[in-house]
Amino acid sequence: MLANDFIIDDRRSGNLKSNLGIEWRVVTDRVMGGISIGKLTLDRYRGRDCLRMQGDVSTENNGGFVQIALSLSDQDHFDASAFAGIVMEVAGNNEDYNLHFRTSDLGFPWQSYRASFKATSDWQTIRIPFDDLEAYKTTQKFRQNQLKRIGLVGIGRDFKADLCLASIHFYSGNN
């Protein structure tokens, strides 16, 4: 990590709070009638402290997601215009997951800006430039100065989710 990065969470808190002072939470499709189940725990995986999202993703009842989410500000939004994207250290069960951003421009809970990544059983560093995000069910242009929430999501198919997050931060364009 370089000096001009912005740490969202490096797991030094020892609890569910991020470096922002805001707690991570688990969200499932049960908020809209689905039957997926999930949990968020503090864990230690292959020598690293991490947040661990585990659950059963089910597409029954029009569902299909388990997510850990973090509000990026206790204000209206977070301005990440000085940054080029997200870097995170993750490990998992060799499944595909999504990174989702929500902005203050989005009015419906199913709208987001997304990128996919594979979480291997070994720790890996995943870099996702903001330019690689795809708008989902919105025509609004992604505005990184209007970020509200970030989520790591197991979505879209029946599977067992198991994802560990050791750190996540914004990186600037020159690194």
Side-chain angles (χ1 to χ4, degrees), residues 8-28:
I8 297 169
D9 196 350
D10 63 5
R11 291 292 67 230
R12 291 184 191 187
S13 70
N15 57 41
L16 293 179
K17 284 191 178 177
S18 68
N19 290 50
L20 305 174
I22 301 169
E23 280 196 14
W24 288 89
R25 61 189 178 98
V26 66
V27 180
T28 70

Side-chain angles (χ1 to χ4, degrees), residues 1-5 84 87 127 169-175:
M1 189 172 67
L2 299 176
N4 47 355
D5 287 357
V87 172
R127 180 180 289 252
H169 60 270
F170 292 112
Y171 70 88
S172 64
N174 59 4
N175 57 19

Side-chain angles (χ1 to χ4, degrees), residues 91-155:
N93 58 345
N94 295 307
E95 293 283 354
D96 292 325
Y97 294 90
N98 278 9
L99 169 76
H100 289 189
F101 278 106
R102 289 197 38 83
T103 67
S104 57
D105 299 320
L106 303 178
F108 298 106
W110 52 81
Q111 296 175 310
S112 62
Y113 303 93
R114 302 176 172 191
S116 294
F117 63 93
K118 185 175 201 83
T120 64
S121 60
D122 292 322
W123 285 108
Q124 61 184 329
T125 301
I126 305 285
R127 180 180 289 252
I128 300 175
F130 289 139
D131 289 343
D132 287 356
L133 296 173
E134 295 181 13
Y136 181 77
K137 295 197 175 184
T138 182
T139 57
Q140 295 288 328
K141 184 178 187 256
F142 177 71
R143 294 193 308 157
Q144 63 203 57
N145 65 337
Q146 297 293 315
L147 299 182
K148 290 194 70 81
R149 188 173 80 187
I150 190 169
L152 299 176
V153 191
I155 191 168

Side-chain angles (χ1 to χ4, degrees), residues 25-44:
R25 61 189 178 98
V26 66
V27 180
T28 70
D29 58 24
R30 289 178 180 256
V31 298
M32 52 184 240
I35 63 168
S36 297
I37 57 172
K39 67 179 180 176
L40 171 61
T41 57
L42 303 174
D43 206 344
R44 187 155 182 87

